[in-house]
Amino acid sequence: QVHLEESGGGLVQAGGSLRLSCTASGNIFSIRNMAWYRQSPGKQRELVASIATGGRHNIADSVMGRFSISRDYTKNAVYLEMSSLKPEDTAVYYCWADVDVAPLTPAPSPYWGQGTRVTVSS
């Protein structure tokens, strides 16, 4: 019902910056929360940053001060601004959204994007 599409990943040198974008489309009434996760080979997926309706956001300690998250409500989009990138940031970054697909739904439905790869070279 809902599709999340990420973009903006790529290869960047250490210390560089990238801006990831995620746009949700499909059967969307509203989006409650959006987040960015990342996963490196052999590791569990971890939460990088999240943002709720109203702008409240959380940033993982590992990226605090370097990453920021924002939303564009008119576009059903969420962004992750990444700076001072480190090789340890190399991962596939996934967009996540908690979506109300209809009015007065009992609970939102979670959706994942397919991921966009970020590679930070030393």
Side-chain angles (χ1 to χ4, degrees), residues 1-2 26-32 98-109 111:
Q1 299 182 47
V2 176
N27 187 22
I28 300 171
F29 179 75
S30 64
I31 300 176
R32 299 190 188 188
D98 230 5
V99 180
D100 290 317
V101 299
L104 302 177
T105 52
S109 300
Y111 291 92

Side-chain angles (χ1 to χ4, degrees), residues 2 11 13 16-17 22 27-28 34 37 40 43 45 52 64 72-73 88 91 102 107 114-115 117:
V2 176
L11 175 64
Q13 69 273 24
S17 301
C22 172
N27 187 22
I28 300 171
M34 302 189 81
Y37 289 75
S40 299
K43 299 181 180 179
R45 191 169 299 184
M64 183 72 69
D72 185 334
Y73 294 88
E88 305 91 271
Q114 293 299 306
R117 183 175 297 276

Side-chain angles (χ1 to χ4, degrees), residues 1-121:
Q1 299 182 47
V2 176
H3 175 71
L4 304 181
E5 184 173 6
E6 304 99 333
S7 63
L11 175 64
V12 64
Q13 69 273 24
S17 301
L18 284 175
R19 184 176 190 254
L20 305 184
S21 299
C22 172
T23 301
S25 61
N27 187 22
I28 300 171
F29 179 75
S30 64
I31 300 176
R32 299 190 188 188
N33 309 301
M34 302 189 81
W36 287 96
Y37 289 75
R38 67 184 182 186
Q39 187 169 21
S40 299
K43 299 181 180 179
Q44 292 188 344
R45 191 169 299 184
E46 63 175 338
L47 177 65
V48 178
S50 64
I51 184 167
T53 300
R56 178 183 294 177
H57 59 273
N58 296 305
I59 306 293
D61 289 342
S62 59
V63 302
M64 183 72 69
R66 301 186 298 117
F67 291 11
S68 64
I69 188 170
S70 61
R71 287 176 68 170
D72 185 334
Y73 294 88
T74 66
K75 298 179 179 179
N76 289 325
V78 63
Y79 308 95
L80 186 68
E81 297 279 356
M82 305 184 295
S83 62
S84 300
L85 283 162
K86 305 175 181 179
E88 305 91 271
D89 297 319
T90 296
V92 176
Y93 285 71
Y94 296 91
C95 179
W96 175 91
D98 230 5
V99 180
D100 290 317
V101 299
L104 302 177
T105 52
S109 300
Y111 291 92
W112 291 94
Q114 293 299 306
T116 184
R117 183 175 297 276
V118 172
T119 302
V120 183
S121 61

